[in-house]
Amino acid sequence: MTRFFGIEVIMVMGITDIDDKIIKRANEMNISPVALARIYEEDFKQDMAALKVLPPTVYMRVTDNIPQIISFIKTIIASGQAYATSQGNVYFDVKSWGKRYGVLTTIYPDTQDEVVGTDKRHGKDFALWKAAKPQELSWTSPWGKGRPGWHIECSTISSAVFGKQLDIHTGGIDLAFPHHENEIAQCEVYHQCEQWGNYFLHSGHLHVKGSQEKMSKSLKNFITIKDFLKKFSSDQFRMFCLRSRYSSVEFSDDTMDDAKHLLQAISSFIRDANAYIKGQLVCDPVREDILWERLANTKVTVKAAFADDFDTSRAVAAIMDLIHHGNRQLKAVTKDAGSPRSSVVYGSIISYIEGFFNALGMSFGERQVALGGDNSAVLSNVIDELVRFRAKVRHYALALPEEADAVPMEGVVAAEGAKQEQKEKRQQLIQERKPLLEACDSLRGDLAAFGIHIKDRAAVSTWEIEEGGQVGQQTKKKS
């Protein structure tokens, strides 16, 4: 949206770090629910980074917003759309919201639903606050110790950042009801507004080809991102996604092979076009007028496709059509007839294609050597280990004793003597470890020549492959 339409995007991602499943799993592992949630959170962030998914503007954890959630619930109760029970639970009164409930999925409250084995007034009422169970993580509230319900956390977090108006809410199609429906009801009560969210963008399930079942952990028909990236690259994954509408994605070896072949075709065209621009590829005279027209039409088609509910499949098809017409005129000839070369039009086409894919987190051409498949994963792991080893050596070389650490407090003379001794020891260690630091700097300089840039930070060293590098993935890794 930013690159193609110039719209500044502020994205907030909510992190549910306390719920029934987390509590159950934490009890099984004999660790705190918050600690377990942090483990999964970091694992998720690493997977997203490996796929080159841009992080949100801000992450918001539920457990960091408990006071705000409690205040949000109190406002809904005061508005008459929620009630507390004697058992310490708080529910949203769906029936009291009437026909305004169900605006997203057209599911309306049934006045005849029965309540069995619960302290709800009506069956469709949903929890805003859950009373604490024995030995369960909880927070103090006006209704007793407990924790937030599932839906209220998202409403509170989004409202804390965006206020009473949200432009786009994203999520899986399975969240449309009841989660997003309940979020809308909560927010419209809290903000007393007619429309809280302008658009809901629901992504479809990832299906295994030939099966009606979605890929999920419960069905044991899934592949982890880490295992996936051992076989495919992040660029191949992105192309696979771009070839489908976000509302319906089907995974198979055939669809992944299709993605790989498209990437190879794009890289091949960019290499040939660059060779033509440099005079390394001699061709017959080029019909510039046709290529300029094709380029202009492609830009219009791509923008229209993205404006049409993010139709990435149509946008990629337009790019491939442009490449097809560009290739048709790059016919090599054996003898140079001295015809003028049309470098500018091919330079413009390359610039547009690379800009298109760079905006989508991919890179091509001379800026990239496509390693593909297992080789990409192996290269990434090798660089990981190399940077990790270098970081250990560097940290050792820099780990000098503090001057004041060994200074005794008894007597000025003794203190001065200890200071001098400590200073001399530090100087000796600096000289002894200087070659190690020089070797670390030398390695960093050597890798930079291949586009692999190491950045030394306070606690860790990170590496990234710059667009101008010679290795196949522009990515970041932390060691």
Side-chain angles (χ1 to χ4, degrees), residues 24 75 88 150 234 248 252 258 280 321 325 353 368 408 418 470:
K24 180 181 178 181
T75 299
W150 174 28
S234 60
S248 178
S252 70
D258 175 65
Q280 298 168 348
D321 186 63
H325 287 280
I353 292 173
Q368 178 188 31
Q470 301 172 9

Side-chain angles (χ1 to χ4, degrees), residues 155-169:
S155 294
T156 303
I157 286 171
S158 60
S159 296
V161 178
F162 299 111
K164 64 180 181 179
Q165 189 71 66
L166 182 66
D167 288 320
I168 301 175
H169 194 313

Side-chain angles (χ1 to χ4, degrees), residues 19 35 37 39 53 58 109 121 152 246 312 339 369 411 463 478:
D19 67 6
I39 293 172
V53 175
V58 62
R121 292 178 183 172
I152 195 66
Y246 68 84
T312 57
S339 303
V369 174
W463 66 269
K478 182 178 287 185

Side-chain angles (χ1 to χ4, degrees), residues 258-440:
D258 175 65
K260 286 194 285 187
H261 293 152
L262 284 177
L263 292 177
Q264 290 167 0
I266 297 165
S267 293
S268 177
F269 168 74
I270 292 177
R271 283 195 300 268
D272 289 347
N274 272 315
Y276 173 78
I277 293 170
K278 295 175 182 178
Q280 298 168 348
L281 178 62
V282 180
C283 302
D284 286 329
V286 169
R287 288 286 307 275
E288 287 191 39
D289 56 332
I290 294 177
L291 292 181
W292 283 120
E293 183 181 1
R294 290 286 177 181
L295 177 58
N297 290 340
T298 300
K299 292 179 178 179
V300 172
T301 301
V302 166
K303 192 165 185 178
F306 280 131
D308 182 16
D309 198 19
F310 303 106
D311 191 348
T312 57
S313 179
R314 181 152 59 100
V316 171
I319 294 292
M320 298 311 297
D321 186 63
L322 175 63
I323 288 174
H324 168 71
H325 287 280
N327 274 328
R328 287 181 63 181
Q329 299 205 44
L330 286 179
K331 301 296 184 182
V333 296
T334 56
K335 186 179 293 186
D336 188 355
S339 303
R341 288 184 296 112
S342 303
S343 299
V344 175
V345 68
Y346 273 100
S348 297
I349 292 173
I350 290 173
S351 178
Y352 177 71
I353 292 173
E354 288 187 340
F356 172 88
F357 285 108
N358 284 339
L360 299 171
M362 304 159 72
S363 56
F364 289 95
E366 290 185 328
R367 302 176 182 178
Q368 178 188 31
V369 174
L371 294 177
D374 290 337
N375 290 334
S376 293
V378 169
L379 174 63
S380 179
N381 290 334
V382 168
I383 299 176
D384 268 343
E385 291 302 320
L386 181 61
V387 173
R388 189 177 292 114
F389 176 78
R390 177 187 173 276
K392 288 181 180 179
V393 173
R394 184 172 178 274
H395 291 162
Y396 169 78
L398 293 173
L400 300 173
E402 296 291 337
E403 290 185 355
D405 286 350
V407 176
M409 301 301 294
E410 304 155 350
V412 176
V413 176
E416 290 298 326
K419 272 189 177 181
Q420 183 61 30
E421 181 180 350
Q422 186 76 354
K423 184 176 180 180
E424 292 173 357
K425 183 178 179 181
R426 282 174 56 85
Q427 291 298 322
Q428 181 182 351
L429 288 174
I430 289 173
Q431 291 302 314
E432 290 176 352
R433 299 181 185 182
K434 185 177 179 182
L436 295 177
L437 289 174
E438 290 174 345
C440 289

Side-chain angles (χ1 to χ4, degrees), residues 42-54:
E42 288 307 311
D43 196 50
F44 164 76
K45 290 177 180 177
Q46 289 175 18
D47 282 346
M48 292 300 100
L51 290 175
K52 296 194 289 188
V53 175
L54 293 176

